[in-house]
Amino acid sequence: MKSFNEQVFDIVARIPAGRVATYGQIARMIGRPRMARFVGYASNNKASWDLPWHRVVFKDGGLVPGWADQQYKSLRSEGVKFAKDKKVDMRKYQWAPTTDAPPPDIRDWPLKF
């Protein structure tokens, strides 16, 4: 069985460009609905730094303090639009894995140097 962090990484790796997921949504997807904060802790694991963490936001569409500017720029480059308060419109951009086409796992892509 995979560890909590590994399960989180599997989900974050599948969030498609132009979509966002919340910490709570990811926690619910792995069957641990009360562990949203620990999803955030998983983002600090060096083993996951190549994942699209910029696509993970707060439930109100807010960005993560400390790197909100970079997160904003990365999401904008993927076509995500923001309200004047720099929050993502969750009704429009929240990832719905059951209805959105399944994206490839970016960890399966060949490395290019």
Side-chain angles (χ1 to χ4, degrees), residues 32-108:
R32 307 296 294 270
R34 300 179 58 91
M35 296 189 72
R37 183 177 304 265
F38 290 91
V39 172
Y41 294 153
S43 70
N44 292 318
N45 185 315
K46 287 183 182 181
S48 74
W49 287 356
D50 61 334
L51 297 176
W53 283 104
H54 65 282
R55 297 178 188 150
V56 183
V57 299
F58 294 119
K59 67 182 175 182
D60 66 351
L63 304 179
V64 179
W67 73 292
D69 289 339
Q70 179 60 40
Q71 192 176 20
Y72 177 81
K73 289 174 187 173
S74 296
L75 289 171
R76 288 278 309 215
S77 74
E78 293 180 355
V80 175
K81 301 209 183 324
F82 290 80
K84 290 181 182 170
D85 60 359
K86 284 195 173 182
K87 289 186 178 179
V88 176
D89 179 350
M90 297 304 286
R91 293 175 303 207
K92 186 172 183 179
Y93 295 104
Q94 186 167 14
W95 179 41
T98 57
T99 57
D100 289 342
D105 186 328
I106 64 170
R107 294 171 297 179
D108 294 334

